[in-house]
C-alpha cells in the first residue's frame, strides 16, 4: 500500500535531494572580498548586490533531478517490495557517488582554497539525510515483508 511508512521515508529522501536546488553546499569568501555560493546548479557570486550565476553545472543538475526522480518513482513500486528494496540500495549507492561528484566539482572550482567548518552549507548534509531516509525506508519494507510472510505461515 502506498500509505505505508516507507512511502513517507522515500518522500522525505526525495525532498532532501530536491532541496539541493535551494541550499548551497559551500560558501566561500573569495580573495577579492566577494562571496561565492556553490550549489548543484552552479557557482553564484554576489555582484552589485545580486546573486549572479558565474558557472553552470549542467551535469550535476541533471544527475540530481534523475536521482530525485528514481527515489520518487520507488514510492509507487509498493506492489513489488523486492524491486523497491533493490532500487533503494541502488539509490544509496547513487547518492554516495553523487556526493563524491559534488566534492570533486567543488575542488575543481575552488582550487587550493582551504575550507573551514563555516564554509559548509546545509546542502552538505542533505545527501547524508537522504541516505538515512532510504535506510529507514528499507527497514520499513523488510518489516512489511516479514509481516506478510508470518501471515502466510498462519494460513
Amino acid at each position: 500500500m502506498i500509505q505505508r511508512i516507507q512511502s513517507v521515508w522515500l518522500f522525505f529522501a526525495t525532498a532532501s535531494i530536491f532541496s539541493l536546488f535551494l541550499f548551497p553546499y559551500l560558501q566561500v569568501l573569495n580573495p577579492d572580498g566577494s562571496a561565492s555560493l556553490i550549489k548543484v546548479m552552479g557557482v553564484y557570486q554576489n555582484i552589485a548586490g545580486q546573486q549572479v550565476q558565474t558557472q553552470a553545472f549542467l551535469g550535476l543538475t541533471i544527475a540530481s533531478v534523475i536521482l530525485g526522480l528514481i527515489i520518487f518513482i520507488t514510492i509507487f513500486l509498493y506492489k513489488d517490495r523486492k524491486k523497491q528494496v533493490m532500487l533503494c540500495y541502488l539509490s544509496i549507492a547513487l547518492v554516495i557517488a553523487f556526493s563524491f561528484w559534488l566534492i570533486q566539482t567543488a575542488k575543481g572550482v575552488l582550487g587550493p582554497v582551504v575550507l573551514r567548518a563555516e564554509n559548509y552549507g546545509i546542502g552538505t548534509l542533505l545527501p547524508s539525510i537522504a541516505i538515512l531516509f532510504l535506510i529507514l525506508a528499507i527497514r520499513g519494507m523488510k518489516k512489511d515483508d516479514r509481516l506478510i510472510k508470518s501471515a502466510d505461515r498462519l494460513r
Side-chain angles (χ1 to χ4, degrees):
M1 286 190 267
I2 201 163
Q3 67 265 24
R4 302 299 295 174
I5 189 67
Q6 59 264 24
S7 299
V8 174
W9 295 129
L10 288 170
F11 179 76
F12 286 158
T14 302
S16 65
I17 292 296
F18 284 132
S19 294
L20 286 169
F21 287 103
L22 301 175
F23 301 109
Y25 64 94
L26 282 176
Q27 304 163 357
V28 181
L29 190 61
N30 296 326
D32 63 354
S34 64
S36 293
L37 299 175
I38 300 177
K39 293 183 178 183
V40 172
M41 296 177 295
V43 179
Y44 292 84
Q45 290 184 340
N46 193 358
I47 299 174
Q50 289 187 324
Q51 291 290 333
V52 178
Q53 185 177 17
T54 58
Q55 187 175 357
F57 301 149
L58 184 63
L60 278 176
T61 304
I62 292 171
S64 60
V65 168
I66 290 171
L67 182 60
L69 287 176
I70 288 172
I71 298 170
F72 186 71
I73 289 170
T74 305
I75 295 172
F76 300 103
L77 298 175
Y78 57 88
K79 291 182 182 178
D80 189 1
R81 277 180 303 284
K82 288 183 182 181
K83 187 182 283 186
Q84 208 176 24
V85 170
M86 183 204 58
L87 277 175
C88 281
Y89 282 127
L90 175 70
S91 296
I92 289 172
L94 290 175
V95 169
I96 291 170
F98 181 72
S99 299
F100 181 74
W101 191 9
L102 285 174
I103 292 167
Q104 294 305 317
T105 303
K107 283 182 182 178
V109 168
L110 296 176
V113 174
V114 177
L115 295 175
R116 295 185 300 269
E118 61 265 8
N119 295 119
Y120 296 104
I122 295 172
T124 307
L125 298 174
L126 290 174
S128 301
I129 292 171
I131 290 173
L132 174 70
F133 287 142
L134 286 167
I135 290 170
L136 290 171
I138 290 170
R139 197 175 106 200
M141 289 172 216
K142 288 186 177 183
K143 193 176 188 181
D144 277 355
D145 208 24
R146 284 191 306 267
L147 178 67
I148 288 173
K149 285 181 182 178
S150 69
D152 285 345
R153 278 188 295 238
L154 293 174
R155 287 184 205 173

